Amino acid sequence: MPIPFTCIEACDLSEDGKSELRLYGASGTRLFVQSSSGASAVWPEEADVRNDEENGEGPPGKRVKLSDPVENTSNFSCLTITNDKKHLVAVTAEDKCIRVFSIDSECRIKQLSERCMARRPCAICVTADDSLILCADKFGDVYSLPLIPSPEDEQQPAAPEQADVPEESSFVPSASVLTVHSGRNRKVLEAQLKQAKKGPKKPKEAPTFKHDLLLGHVSMLTDIAYAVVDKRSYIITADRDEHVRVSRGPPQAHIIEDFCHGHEAFISRLCVVGQDLLVSGGGDPDLFVWDWLHYKLLQKLPIRNAVFEFMRAQTDLASTLPEDVSSFKVAVSGIWSVPHAQSDVKEILVACEGVPALFSFNVGSSSTTGQAIALSGNALDVTFVQAGTESTCTAIVSVDNAHMPGSTTEIRKDESAVRLHFFSPQSDGQWTQAAGAVQQAFEGLGGSADKPTTNAKALHNILYGVENLRKRPGSDD
Amino acid sequence: MPGEPAKRLKREEYKNALHSEENKAELPKKRFYRQRAHANPFSDHSLQYPRSPADMDWASYYPAYAVNKEIEMTEGESHDHDQQQPAPTPHGPISKQVEIADIGCGYGGLLFALAPKFPETLILGMEIRTAVTEYVQEKVRALRTQHLSTNSYQNASCIRANTMKFLPNFFKKGQLSKIFLCFPDPHFKQRKHKARIVSYTLNSEYAYVLKPGGVVYTITDVEDLHKWMVGHLERHPSFERLNEEEEKSDECVEIMRMETEEGKKVTRNGGNKYVACFRRIEDPPWP
C-alpha cells in the first residue's frame, strides 16, 4: 500500500505561451514531482536503475556518484515552494532537518542543502524576497536561515546564543559555597564538581551553519506565518498555550507588536487571508477570524458544528459520534485560503484530523455556516492551481488512502484507494469533483514508484499528531 | 507516603482556623505552606489564567479598587455555602492598573516592603507554587485586616501564575513600570537553561509588558546566573543597563537587597548579592 501524501504543493510555471503546471508531493521518506508536460521524478533516486542510465558510459568500477547519493530514512513533515518557484523547502521530521531542493526545467530534483536543527521544526515559511527560511520549532523558538547560504555564512562558527555561554577551559562551578541552596541545587553542584574531576564534558554538537534566533515562546510552537503589509513585515506565531503572537519581521523580530487573545484550547494552524485577515484554529470548537493588524477578533466560525453535522449525515460515521455536540472534539489540521479571481470573495478550506471531508467557509461574510466537501479518505493537505485557460482554480486534495475514512488508527482493507482528489468551485459556490486537465496531468503522481508502508503505528504517527496537542486535565505538579 | 496525609490534615485544620473571626488579623505561619523550591515552567499544571488582560478579574485581588462596589455574586459562588468565605469579594475591573510585578515573589518579602513605599501603585506578586501563593494571599488578607483604618496593603496582592508562559495574559502592552526578578531559580544544568527566567526570547515579553522607561530589576547570589542575566538583557535591543549612579539612587534596589526573604538568607550566610537593572527603551521606527 502506498503511503499517503503528507504534504502537497502545486505551482504554475507557465511562461511565453508555454503552459506547465507542477505538483510536488511528499510521501513518507520520499519526494515526488509530476509536471503537466509528462516529466516526473522521485527523490531520493532509486540508485541502481538511475546509475546505469546516466553513467552508462563510464567503466563500471569508477562510476561517478550521483549528486544525491543520500539515503533518507526520515519522513517529510513540511513542504513549501519559494515565491520565485525555483526552490522547494522541506522538513524531515525524525532527523529535524531542513532541506532545500532545486528543480530544473526537466523536473530533476537536486538537494542543495540539508541543515539539521537542534530541535524538531514544526513549521517553516519563506520571506517575501526568498532570502530567508523562518523555522518554528517544538521548543518554542523561531530561527532564520538563509535559503542559500553564502560562503561566509558557512564559516560562521556557532549560533550566537551559544557564544555567550563561556566555554570553561578550567572548570568553575556555577555557584560558590556561599550561595543559598535548596537540596536539589546542592546535588547538581556536586554532580558538576564530580564531572569536572573526570574532565570537561564534550559539549553537545551545535549546528555549525548560520542560523539566527529571532524570537521564542515558552511553549511548543505549532505554526508560523509571514506577511508584508505596507512595506512592513510581520511574523505571526501560534503556540500550544493559546497564544497568537504578532512580531515584527527581521531585523526587528525581537519586538512583539501584540497578541490576538481569545483561544481556550491549543492552536494548530494559522492562515492569512487576503492581507488583513487571519484565521486561526486548533482544539477550540470555533475558528477565529482576526483583524490581525489591530489584534481584534472579528468573527468565530463554528467548525465543530460543521464537522458534527457532516459526520451525523454519514451512515457509517454517525455511530462513532457522541450524542451531544458539546462532548465532541475536533482538531484542526489545515486551513487554506482559496485563490479566487475576485478579491472580494474570501474563502477558506479547513481540514480536521481524521475527518474525511473539507469544510468551506466564507470569511468576513454574514453567514458562518460551513459547506462540507466529502472525500474518500481523511483530508491531509490541500494545494491550488489555476490551469492556464480556466478561470477558476482547482483544489488538489491529498487524502489518507491507508486508514479507514473517519479513523486515524483502523487500516483499510482495499488497497486501491486514491491518494488525490480534484475539486473546482462552481458559479454557485459549491465545490464539485473536477475532471479537467489538472486531474489528467497529476493523477499519476507517484503512482508507479511505490514502496511498502511501515507499520500501522508509525504511519499513524506520521499523519496524525494534532489531537496530541490537547492538554489533559489534572496533570498538576 | 506515610506521614503525608497527617501533614495535609494538619495544614487544612490550620488554614480553616485561620479564617475564623478571631484569627482574621493573625499572620499565617510559614511552616504550614512549605513547598519544594522548584517548579517546572514547561509543564501544563492546572493553572488558572485569564484569556486576555481584559478578562482578568482584578477586583477580587484588589477589592478596594473595584469599579463595581456593589457585590455581584458570580454563578459559582451563589450556590456555594462555604462558611470560610465570610465576606463575598467583588469581581470585575478595577479603577487602576497594576504597575509593578514581582515575578517569582516567593513568600512576598519584597511585595510587603514595596506596598507602603508605593501606596498609590498596585503591586502584584506572581508565584508558580500553590502553597507559597496561598501563604502570601493569607498574609495580604491579614495585613489588610490589621490596617483597616489606614487602608494599607490594599495595593498589594498575589496570584498563582506561570509568568514564563502567560505574562501577556495578565498585562497589556506597556502596562508595567517595574518588574522584579529576585533570586530566581538558577537552573544550573546546561540542559535546563531555557527554564531560566531571563533569556533573550523571554526578554521580548518583558519589553512588551513594560512601558518605555520601565525597569527590570534582577538580583541573585549566583554569580554565574548574574552573568547570564546581564548577558541576555544586554544583548536584547529593547533594554539598556542602568549605570551605577542610577542604581544607587533607586530606592527599590536597596529594598530588593535587604527585604527579600532570600536576600536576608544570603546576608546571614555572608554571601554575595549581584544586582543588575535594565531600562526599557523606546522601540525604533520600522525599517
Side-chain angles (χ1 to χ4, degrees), chain B:
Chain B
M1 231 191 287
E4 203 45 34
K7 184 170 142 195
R8 196 180 312 145
L9 207 67
K10 232 190 206 166
R11 287 189 170 195
E12 260 164 47
E13 265 171 31
Y14 169 79
K15 285 170 194 176
N16 288 344
L18 198 62
H19 281 275
S20 62
E21 217 30 57
E22 63 268 27
N23 292 336
K24 257 177 90 175
E26 197 175 308
L27 292 176
K29 291 193 174 73
K30 247 187 222 171
R31 64 188 164 98
F32 293 104
Y33 300 89
R34 292 280 178 212
Q35 195 175 347
R36 56 181 277 253
H38 309 278
N40 178 1
F42 304 125
S43 84
D44 288 340
H45 301 288
S46 24
L47 286 166
Q48 302 246 313
Y49 48 87
R51 263 185 320 185
S52 73
D55 292 306
M56 180 64 197
D57 176 17
W58 287 114
S60 60
Y61 291 89
Y62 301 95
Y65 296 86
V67 172
N68 309 314
K69 293 278 182 199
E70 286 152 51
I71 284 136
E72 283 174 51
M73 300 286 268
T74 53
E75 257 179 62
E77 266 180 2
S78 54
H79 300 293
D80 190 10
H81 298 289
D82 203 338
Q83 291 172 337
Q84 289 152 33
Q85 291 266 313
T89 39
H91 292 281
I94 44 176
S95 55
K96 252 189 180 168
Q97 288 186 350
V98 172
E99 277 197 44
I100 300 178
D102 180 5
I103 292 176
C105 68
Y107 291 93
L110 179 73
L111 182 70
F112 297 115
L114 289 174
K117 295 273 182 191
F118 298 93
E120 299 304 317
T121 310
L122 299 193
I123 310 169
L124 183 66
M126 305 177 92
E127 172 58 49
I128 197 168
R129 292 167 293 167
T130 329
V132 179
T133 312
E134 221 176 298
Y135 168 85
V136 181
Q137 287 169 340
E138 291 298 344
K139 192 164 171 183
V140 167
R141 192 190 44 79
L143 286 172
R144 283 177 183 171
T145 312
Q146 286 176 11
H147 297 83
L148 271 182
S149 55
T150 58
N151 250 347
S152 299
Y153 298 101
Q154 292 292 345
N155 62 332
S157 193
C158 179
I159 194 166
R160 181 184 183 220
N162 177 351
T163 60
M164 292 179 65
K165 274 178 184 281
F166 298 111
L167 196 60
N169 291 58
F170 291 95
F171 305 120
K172 293 187 298 194
K173 186 177 186 175
Q175 175 174 341
L176 300 182
S177 55
K178 294 177 197 298
I179 293 177
F180 289 89
L181 305 169
C182 301
F183 301 97
D185 191 333
H187 289 288
F188 288 120
K189 287 183 193 166
Q190 197 103 72
R191 191 163 58 77
K192 292 260 196 160
H193 280 177
K194 183 148 178 163
R196 286 183 166 173
I197 198 84
V198 168
S199 66
Y200 176 78
T201 55
L202 205 46
N203 292 347
S204 288
E205 291 202 14
Y206 299 136
Y208 168 79
V209 294
L210 273 177
K211 60 184 77 168
V215 177
V216 175
Y217 296 82
T218 74
I219 183 168
T220 176
D221 60 328
V222 182
E223 191 178 6
D224 199 43
L225 177 66
H226 169 69
K227 285 182 183 156
W228 165 281
M229 295 197 290
V230 169
H232 282 247
L233 279 158
E234 274 179 345
R235 193 152 68 79
H236 198 286
S238 297
F239 290 100
E240 66 180 11
R241 190 165 178 182
L242 263 60
N243 61 34
E244 253 173 72
E245 289 284 290
E246 291 170 314
E247 237 175 55
K248 261 193 202 133
S249 61
D250 192 327
E251 59 173 333
C252 292
V253 172
E254 199 48 29
I255 299 174
M256 174 168 80
R257 289 174 60 92
M258 305 319 292
E259 299 292 343
T260 53
E261 317 273 328
E262 290 291 309
K264 287 176 188 166
K265 255 194 252 176
V266 176
T267 310
R268 281 201 299 274
N269 273 22
N272 295 318
K273 293 176 207 173
Y274 303 94
V275 174
C277 308
F278 288 83
R279 188 183 300 108
R280 164 76 157 99
I281 55 179
E282 200 102 37
D283 283 336
W286 284 76

Side-chain angles (χ1 to χ4, degrees), chain A residues 450-461:
Chain A
D450 287 325
K451 204 160 88 172
T453 50
T454 39
N455 66 61
K457 182 94 201 303
L459 188 62
H460 169 86
N461 290 341

Side-chain angles (χ1 to χ4, degrees), chain A residues 52-91:
Chain A
D52 290 341
E53 275 175 18
E54 287 179 21
N55 304 312
E57 289 156 28
K62 277 178 82 183
R63 204 168 273 173
V64 186
K65 279 231 167 175
L66 275 180
S67 53
D68 287 330
V70 208
E71 205 176 299
N72 176 29
T73 53
S74 292
N75 293 292
F76 283 95
S77 59
C78 306
L79 194 61
T80 185
I81 302 178
T82 55
N83 299 292
D84 64 10
K85 301 170 192 167
K86 286 185 177 144
H87 295 98
L88 205 59
V89 186
V91 172

